Amino acid sequence: MERVYRTDLKMPCYFLAVAEELHFGRAAARLNMSQPPLCVCMEGIEDQLGTQLFIRHSRSVVLTHAGKILMEESRRLLVNANNVLARIEEIGRGEAGRIELGVVGTAMWGRMRPVMRRFLRENPNVDVLFREKMPAMQMALLERRELDAGIWRMATEPPTGFTSLRLHESAFLVAMPEEHHLSSFSTVPLEALRDEYFVTMPPVYTDWDFLQRVCQQVGFSLAIVHEVNEPQTVLVLVTVRGNIGRRTSNYAQMNWPGVIFRPLKQRIPADLYIVYETQQVTPAMVKLLAALTQ
């Protein structure tokens, strides 16, 4: 069984004063205390360790080999303790720390990317760990306090104790081959999608169910002919199969050969939200929220 020693930071401070001064009187004056309690303290350390640290003479003190080693380690211990306390102060000011951030894949494709780059550049001692998860999994991790915040699309009513903030607006676009007959539209009416065939991701990975409900409100359901697991594959199959896909406006900022994007006449929001537990916001998280919502 590992032995547990009774100690606190005063003990290495007291020992170090005696070890450096090699005189109990001068060490006591340096520590602003009387000499007898300091002598008792040093004897207590030696008794606890079962090791002689000092060779005491009538007018001076000499360190034993064990005392010299303890002096070196005491200096290292106090430097490390000071560094730890300084880092805790930095964490308290939001200048250091770690943020575990859940994200959906498309979150980093738009305006969030330059904001995060600037935040990380301005806060080099804050580690941001990105965990790509779907909204339902992010919410589960948030409730287990395994994430500091989650970022996903579409408004949500978070559980009691959580806050949801909209970071910025976005909308769903229609992705189609350049030669598609709907490419002549500057904005595509929702009804024009009635007879089209779609490539999409499985509902568990998207908010496709939401889009289906929107279409059903005007009297039709979207026809899905192929499901894939990656958003990039959706756009590849749009060019290969000649079908239609739907993507958020982030994708239109990138060059996808053979694919054009058109907004819907009836705007369907794909806004980006951040969700976090109100009472668990760290100082670093406060700074990140300010950067993301400014």
Side-chain angles (χ1 to χ4, degrees), residues 98-102 129-131 133 137-150 162 277 280:
R98 182 176 64 185
I99 299 172
E100 296 210 28
L101 194 62
L129 305 180
F130 298 97
R131 298 176 63 181
K133 302 288 182 183
M137 178 56 71
Q138 288 190 46
M139 194 67 245
L141 293 174
L142 283 168
E143 291 179 324
R144 297 202 299 266
R145 295 182 177 175
E146 295 180 25
L147 288 178
D148 293 295
F162 287 83
E277 189 173 359
Q280 295 294 319

Side-chain angles (χ1 to χ4, degrees), residues 44-108:
I45 294 176
E46 289 178 316
D47 288 343
Q48 181 182 349
L49 298 177
T51 304
Q52 185 178 8
L53 303 174
F54 304 101
I55 300 173
R56 295 162 176 83
H57 301 289
S58 59
R59 294 182 179 275
S60 64
V61 175
V62 178
L63 287 171
T64 64
H65 174 68
K68 292 177 181 178
I69 298 299
L70 184 57
M71 181 172 66
E72 296 172 3
E73 294 300 329
S74 294
R75 286 170 173 163
R76 186 176 294 112
L77 173 63
L78 292 174
V79 168
N80 289 340
N82 187 72
N83 291 339
V84 168
L85 295 176
R87 178 166 174 78
I88 296 303
E89 283 190 340
E90 290 178 343
I91 291 172
R93 293 192 299 264
E95 298 169 2
R98 182 176 64 185
I99 299 172
E100 296 210 28
L101 194 62
V103 294
V104 292
T106 59
M108 302 298 290

Side-chain angles (χ1 to χ4, degrees), residues 105-111 113 173 175 231-232 235 247-261:
T106 59
M108 302 298 290
W109 288 29
R111 283 178 286 176
R113 184 173 67 251
L173 304 179
Q232 296 89 334
L235 297 176
R247 297 284 84 196
T248 58
S249 54
N250 306 62
Y251 287 83
Q253 300 174 17
M254 306 181 73
N255 180 32
W256 297 93
V259 178
I260 61 172
F261 298 88

Side-chain angles (χ1 to χ4, degrees), residues 60 213 241 273:
S60 64
R213 289 195 299 271
R241 296 176 60 98
Y273 289 81

